[in-house]
Amino acid sequence: MEADFRQMAERDSSGFVLLADYVPSIVQEIRYYSTYNFVGDRIDSYEEPCALITREAARAVKAVAGEMAARGYRLKVFDAYRPATAVRHFVLWGIEDLDLRMKPFFYPELDKTDLFKLGYIAKQSSHSRGSTIDLTLLDMATGKEVDMGSPFDYFGEASHPDFQGVTAEQHANRMTLQHAMVRAGFEPIDCEWWHFTLRDEPYPYTYFDFPVSAQYLRR
């Protein structure tokens, strides 16, 4: 009975919302729906290019969007809720040693086998709990992404928030995003400037596995 309940909980999307419904101004570039990601293929269970997230996390992102808009920025999201099936896709890709198509773009300085050991890819991801988001800032004056010193999903020291090899301006840009997210209740991690998890996430022990699909939420 307990296992059956757990399985039901993992498929239950009732606590999730479309992020764009809460933050209409947000720009969405859902990389794992596309083939431009570190794997090089669309990732399993990404059925639509939309960001899903828990209702609590959506409210917090809305607060960040309001603060950033007042300072001339928009938010751009790359990923939010990530199904457990998608994480398994990453793990299977990691086992396939011959697939190095995207290495020059996303991990040129690292061996593929190090991506898990160094924490860039997890065998069980906080994204699957629904309150983690990957995002950056857009400058409303130019319409371009703010220069963070490394691109999203670049695996290496250059993406560590405190990396000393970026310029003062790039570091300041990272801190603008990080400080706003922390004020809204999110926690950063030490190896990716774009990754934040809601501190008081509503499902800290549940790893969901329903598809990334607006249609699934409306069922």
Side-chain angles (χ1 to χ4, degrees):
M1 179 66 71
E2 182 178 352
D4 289 343
F5 176 79
R6 176 74 178 202
Q7 185 175 2
M8 289 172 60
E10 290 175 346
R11 300 292 295 180
D12 181 7
S13 63
S14 59
F16 286 71
V17 298
L18 282 170
L19 181 56
D21 286 347
Y22 278 69
V23 189
S25 65
I26 200 162
V27 176
Q28 300 186 74
E29 185 182 334
I30 308 303
R31 286 286 185 85
Y32 302 136
Y33 179 81
S34 76
T35 59
Y36 185 59
N37 56 60
F38 64 88
V39 173
D41 298 312
R42 181 185 294 182
I43 304 304
D44 292 347
S45 286
Y46 280 80
E47 297 182 359
E48 294 184 55
C50 58
L52 311 185
I53 200 165
T54 62
R55 188 171 288 104
E56 293 82 354
R59 293 186 183 118
V61 175
K62 181 178 181 179
V64 176
E67 177 185 343
M68 291 295 94
R71 301 176 63 177
Y73 300 109
R74 292 175 68 183
L75 300 182
K76 180 176 182 178
V77 58
F78 297 110
D79 195 33
Y81 161 67
R82 181 183 305 162
T85 295
V87 177
R88 286 194 289 272
H89 189 162
F90 292 167
V91 172
L92 291 174
W93 168 82
I95 295 171
E96 178 50 74
D97 293 337
L98 297 179
D99 187 353
L100 300 173
R101 286 172 290 161
M102 306 305 285
K103 178 178 172 63
F105 307 102
F106 293 97
Y107 52 104
E109 302 165 346
L110 299 175
D111 291 333
K112 183 178 176 181
T113 54
D114 289 335
L115 300 181
F116 292 90
K117 179 173 62 178
L118 296 175
Y120 294 109
I121 306 174
K123 294 181 179 180
Q124 194 172 47
S125 174
S126 63
H127 281 275
S128 300
R129 302 196 300 263
S131 296
T132 294
I133 187 168
D134 296 336
L135 77 172
T136 192
L137 299 174
L138 290 181
D139 186 330
M140 287 196 289
T142 65
K144 297 180 179 179
E145 287 185 27
V146 169
D147 185 358
M148 297 293 189
S150 73
F152 166 68
D153 260 2
Y154 182 88
F155 301 136
E157 289 188 7
S159 292
H160 294 198
D162 60 355
F163 178 61
Q164 298 299 305
V166 297
T167 67
E169 181 180 2
Q170 290 164 341
H171 181 263
N173 290 338
R174 293 180 178 195
M175 292 303 101
T176 294
L177 175 62
Q178 184 179 113
H179 292 163
M181 294 296 287
V182 169
R183 282 192 292 271
F186 288 91
E187 292 184 343
I189 59 173
D190 61 5
C191 61
E192 297 174 348
W193 57 258
W194 56 80
H195 177 112
F196 300 89
T197 299
L198 190 67
R199 187 175 305 112
D200 296 321
E201 57 183 312
Y203 307 109
Y205 307 110
T206 303
Y207 292 81
F208 293 89
D209 199 19
F210 55 85
V212 175
S213 165
Q215 298 305 313
Y216 190 91
L217 289 189
R218 299 187 178 109
R219 290 176 58 182

